[in-house]
Each structure stands twice: as C-alpha cells, then as structure tokens.
Amino acid sequence: MKILLVHNFYQQRGGEDQAFEEERRLLRNYRHQVIDYTLHNNQVTTYNKRELVHALIWNTQSYRALRNLISNEKPDIMHVHNTFPLISPSAYYAANAEKVPVIQTLHNFRLLCLNATFFRENRTCEDCMGKLWPWPGIRHACYRDGRGPSSGVATMLIVHRLLRTWQRNVNLFIALSEFAKKRFVAGGLEENKIVVKPNFVAPDPGTGTGGGNYALYVGRLSQEKGIEMMLESWQKLQGQLCLKIVGEGTLSPVVKKATECIPSVEHLGYQSHENVLHLMKEALFLVFPSECYENFPLTIAEAYAVGLPVVACNNGSMSSLVIDGQTGLHFELGNTDDFLKKITWILENPGELRKMRILARKEYVEKYMAEQNHEILMNVYKRVVMTE
C-alpha cells in the first residue's frame, strides 16, 4: 500500500513520538510505500499568540501543504498520529478534499481533556467529559497551567465539535487499549468506528536475566506519574533495594533532591533507548506508579519484551495491561502501604518473580510483536479502503 503518515512531534520526546517512528519503520520493513508529513513543536516559537491560536484551530499553511502532497503522491490512505498543535484538524479536511480515507490513532485523551491525561490536582478528573464547552478545564488552567493556553485548546475542541470534524472526517480510529476505547465511546465517538491495536516493540530485544538487584522506573518525571509517592515509599524501604530512575521532567529537581536524602535512589537522567533496554534486562522489576489513566505505555510492552515484571497502579489501562500475579502486581491508587507491601512480597518470593519473568515474556510474544501488529494494521487499512 501507499501510506501517508502524519505526525506533530513534541518538544519533549515521549512515547507517542517513538510509537510513530516504530510504526513507520514497521510499514517500510513490510515493503509498503510510506511518505510522511511531520511538523515539530519547536516551531511554536515562530508564532505569536494570535497566530498560534489560529493554527491550533485551522493551520492554513499545513492544509495547503498536505493537499499538495496528497494530490502529487496519491496515497491509498492517510494515517494520522498527532495533529496537535501545529498541523491542526485541517489535515482531515485536506485528505477528504482529495478523497483519501483517514485513520486516526488516539495516542492520548486530547479530544476529551485539555491536558490529554484526565488528571488534575493529584487526582483523576473527568469534569470536562461530555461537555461541548470544556469550561472546567479553562477555569482550572489545565493546559500549561494557564487560562490563556487552556482557552486556546478549548476553542479548537469547541469549533471542531460543532463542525463534527472527528465524526465526519475520520473514517476509523485506533485506540491503544480496551480501556481507552471505552473512555472515547463515553466521550462521544461511535463504538463501531474504533478498533483496538496496541503498541508493539521491534526488533525483539531478547530476554534479560534480572541479575542487577535493583528496581527501575522509566518515564517522564511529572506530577501525574506518581513520582513523589514512589520516592516516599523508597525512603520507607530503608535501603532494602536500589531504585534507578530514568527520565527528565518538571519533577527532576525533586528527584535530584531525593537522591541526596535516600542513598538507595539513583537518578540516571535521560538515557538512550539502547541503554534503557539494557537496564530493563538487568532489573528485578519495573515500577510504574502512574496515577493518571495512561493509554498504552510503551514502557510496559518493552518490559515484557525482555521478560521484566511490572508493579503498577491498578488504574486506567494498567489494570488490564498488567495481569496481577502473572506479569506483575497491582497496588491501590495512592496507597503507599499497599505499594510497599507488593515490593516486599517480591523481595521475599524470588521464585515467584522468576515465574512472572517467563509470563511477562510470553505476553510480549503473544500480543506485542511486530508481526501481529502489522496484521492488525493491515486489517484496519483494508476495512477503510474497501468501504471507500
């Protein structure tokens, strides 16, 4: 097939950017002809506030560039990963004008929530769910902690909700988990227009040994990720196990300060993907304390790929992605005592942990390898192309 991929890269690289690049590589490995249209959020600095709000709602320059690209290349399908903030929903209209079907992967909850996480003031928040006017998100300054930026995102959502852009101009949506699909259906998308396809890990990194005698955290260091709860818990462990933390973010200073007070905590900062996989192979287990819903954390699939069990909060998609007692353990949201209880159990039951390593790897082989993912993706593409 000839496929046009569309993606707006973030200023701080994250799982969505990685997932886009992996899927692009997957399609090319299977000999599809792939072209892409990408913008980067670093370009935001070239816009003044008024221009940026206009671009959020309808980027005329992006619309024209995409129409020209589609007209010249004539792809079979346009697969969108992210249009926020610079590509804008005008991308869908460009494809529709050229009569090319559109697939949209729902990497986050931006269509339903201004900050895309359903998380506010240290708790899950769905106050804007189902509202045409997401006024709670503006009042609480949910996007970039400002009512101005929040109003800009809200205006974009309101305009395109009124235009029914996502209902009329997107042929099919891809949700990354059953949990995410249910939230989008609750938010107004048609259930029969959403298919579930998880992220994947390729190439296969192979299994690790878990011989490093440490726990590992990999991800953004921000409020919704449960970083402070994790650090508080590790202080109570009193040096029983080392915790290595990979990542940067707004809470980097908090983590750095914690390393000075808690000798068993080590902050490694940003690490290459190769180094992350090496760390995963040697870790005893992955800590995933995120307090927001998440969608499909690629980190969990990578952990399974190397046979690394996951200790995760039983919230959002983690409640189904991590199989309690098999591929890892669940702990109650915000419950430090329960979190410590699960870590202590692991330390006292090394034989059970070895069984979990085997089951984690099995989960990867059965669900998150490239071959299965390509097959699902082709079925999605064919479903759309055949109905056009």
Side-chain angles (χ1 to χ4, degrees):
M1 298 185 72
K2 191 172 188 179
I3 303 153
L4 169 60
L5 298 181
V6 176
H7 183 59
N8 199 132
F9 283 94
Y10 292 87
Q11 285 180 314
Q12 185 176 345
R13 179 179 169 82
E16 291 184 40
D17 294 334
Q18 184 180 340
F20 165 76
E21 290 172 347
E22 293 290 347
E23 198 153 290
R24 179 173 59 185
R25 188 177 300 114
L26 172 75
L27 290 168
R28 286 175 175 163
N29 286 345
Y30 274 87
R31 305 300 178 92
H32 299 287
Q33 187 176 352
V34 179
I35 50 178
D36 57 46
Y37 178 80
T38 63
L39 294 181
H40 198 289
N41 277 6
N42 288 340
Q43 297 168 252
V44 165
T45 56
T46 64
Y47 292 77
N48 61 41
K49 290 183 180 179
R50 184 177 179 181
E51 290 171 337
L52 184 56
V53 172
H54 187 273
L56 266 174
I57 300 167
W58 185 280
N59 190 329
T60 303
Q61 184 178 356
S62 176
Y63 172 83
R64 289 172 178 166
L66 265 170
R67 277 207 70 173
N68 287 336
L69 181 61
I70 294 168
S71 178
N72 292 332
E73 295 289 347
K74 295 180 171 48
D76 297 309
I77 201 164
M78 183 174 87
H79 185 167
V80 181
H81 285 262
N82 177 42
T83 65
F84 184 83
L86 296 179
I87 293 176
S88 83
S90 67
Y92 310 128
Y93 290 87
N96 287 179
E98 298 296 329
K99 295 182 170 48
V100 172
V102 177
I103 301 286
Q104 169 70 60
T105 294
L106 300 164
H107 285 286
N108 57 50
F109 296 107
R110 182 81 62 194
L111 300 191
L112 310 176
C113 170
L114 298 193
N115 68 19
T117 63
F118 283 132
F119 191 82
R120 175 175 62 82
E121 297 174 357
N122 297 327
R123 66 176 180 86
T124 298
C125 172
E126 293 190 358
D127 289 356
C128 292
M129 177 72 89
K131 291 181 173 66
L132 172 63
W133 302 81
W135 57 266
I138 299 172
R139 180 161 61 90
H140 294 291
C142 287
Y143 181 68
R144 293 188 176 271
D145 295 321
R147 288 183 176 173
S150 297
S151 297
V153 179
T155 302
M156 180 272 291
L157 290 174
I158 292 165
V159 167
H160 289 285
R161 285 170 182 173
L162 290 171
L163 292 172
R164 294 184 60 79
T165 294
W166 292 286
Q167 286 81 4
R168 294 173 175 172
N169 299 85
V170 179
N171 299 75
L172 206 61
F173 294 92
I174 295 175
L176 302 182
S177 67
E178 286 292 344
F179 173 84
K181 177 179 178 178
K182 289 176 182 177
R183 300 326 301 142
F184 281 110
V185 171
L189 294 186
E190 298 173 43
E191 185 172 6
N192 64 358
K193 289 184 67 174
I194 307 176
V195 298
V196 175
K197 183 192 77 65
N199 287 326
F200 66 98
V201 178
D204 180 355
T207 55
T209 62
N213 198 33
Y214 59 84
L216 180 67
Y217 171 87
V218 178
R220 190 168 63 253
L221 304 183
S222 53
Q223 195 71 49
E224 74 277 6
K225 296 296 186 178
I227 302 299
E228 290 170 310
M229 186 282 293
M230 178 177 68
L231 293 173
E232 178 187 345
S233 300
W234 233 263
Q235 189 166 28
K236 292 180 179 180
L237 274 176
Q238 299 181 336
Q240 292 182 58
L241 181 66
C242 178
L243 170 66
K244 295 181 185 288
I245 298 176
V246 173
E248 298 288 355
T250 55
L251 292 186
S252 291
V254 174
V255 173
K256 183 179 179 181
K257 185 176 180 180
T259 62
E260 298 169 359
C261 306
I262 314 171
S264 58
V265 173
E266 182 181 358
H267 182 208
L268 303 179
Y270 169 80
Q271 295 289 316
S272 69
H273 188 231
E274 182 181 1
N275 286 348
V276 169
L277 290 175
H278 175 73
L279 287 163
M280 283 184 169
K281 288 182 178 182
E282 296 300 311
L284 286 178
F285 57 91
L286 182 77
V287 181
F288 201 91
S290 184
E291 296 173 353
C292 66
Y293 281 159
E294 296 290 344
N295 199 330
F296 185 98
L298 192 56
T299 305
I300 290 180
E302 289 174 334
Y304 288 166
V306 302
L308 181 63
V310 180
V311 178
C313 174
N314 62 348
N315 189 40
S317 63
M318 289 86 73
S319 60
S320 58
L321 294 176
V322 177
I323 306 171
D324 191 38
Q326 296 184 40
T327 64
L329 295 174
H330 290 160
F331 66 90
E332 294 179 5
L333 175 65
N335 190 330
T336 303
D337 291 337
D338 192 41
F339 181 58
L340 287 170
K341 180 181 176 181
K342 298 305 166 61
I343 293 173
T344 302
W345 184 90
I346 286 177
L347 296 177
E348 294 175 349
N349 294 273
E352 294 300 315
L353 184 63
R354 284 192 292 272
K355 292 178 184 177
M356 286 184 182
R357 295 188 71 88
I358 294 170
L359 291 173
R361 172 66 184 182
K362 184 172 181 283
E363 187 79 352
Y364 164 69
V365 171
E366 292 179 352
K367 296 180 180 179
Y368 307 127
M369 295 189 81
E371 292 82 1
Q372 297 99 315
N373 213 272
H374 178 259
E375 183 178 351
I376 297 170
L377 195 54
M378 286 305 101
N379 288 334
V380 171
Y381 287 175
K382 289 172 184 176
R383 173 176 162 181
V384 170
V385 171
M386 289 174 67
T387 56
E388 282 297 298

